Amino acid sequence: MNKKVEPAHAGTLESSDLFVRVVPMESEGIEIELESTVYEIYADAIKATIFESAKALNANGIKIMVQDKGALDYVIKARVQAAILRAYGINEPDWSVL
C-alpha cells in the first residue's frame, strides 16, 4: 500500500481476544511486538499469522503491537486486518485478499 499510515487499533483485552495497534515507522518493512499469555508456547505461530495477514494486505513501513489474551488464528487475522485497514484509511477493502 502506498497510502499514508495513521495510528490505528482493533480488538479488546478480553479473554480469547487481542488488542492490535498499528503505527507508522520511518523504515521499510513490518515490525511485530508481541505480548501474550501463551507466549512461550505459541509466539512463533502468532507472529507468523500476524506477518502473513499484514503481507496479504501489502502493508509496509508499520509496527504492529499486539497484546494477546489467547486468541485463535481467525481472530488474530481479523483484528490485524481491521487495524491495518484503519491505519491506511481503507473503508472498502479488497475482499479477495482477506
Side-chain angles (χ1 to χ4, degrees):
M1 291 184 201
N2 292 330
K3 293 184 172 191
K4 184 176 181 198
V5 179
E6 297 290 332
H9 67 275
T12 70
L13 292 172
E14 298 294 322
S15 180
S16 299
D17 201 356
L18 70 160
F19 186 76
V20 179
R21 286 179 285 160
V22 174
V23 295
M25 290 191 320
E26 299 277 329
S27 60
E28 296 291 313
I30 298 168
E31 185 179 320
I32 298 171
E33 185 179 295
L34 174 65
E35 291 179 29
S36 177
T37 56
V38 293
Y39 189 91
E40 293 79 22
I41 302 169
Y42 297 111
D44 292 339
I46 294 168
K47 286 180 181 180
T49 301
I50 294 167
F51 186 76
E52 290 167 11
S53 298
K55 288 309 282 182
L57 293 170
N58 295 318
N60 194 14
I62 60 171
K63 181 175 184 178
I64 304 171
M65 296 171 282
V66 176
Q67 293 175 277
D68 172 52
K69 299 294 183 182
L72 297 174
D73 282 357
Y74 68 91
V75 177
I76 296 169
K77 289 178 185 178
R79 296 301 194 197
V80 170
Q81 290 168 352
I84 291 172
L85 292 172
R86 288 174 182 167
Y88 282 98
I90 297 172
N91 295 321
E92 296 291 328
D94 178 2
W95 294 105
S96 67
V97 299
L98 299 181

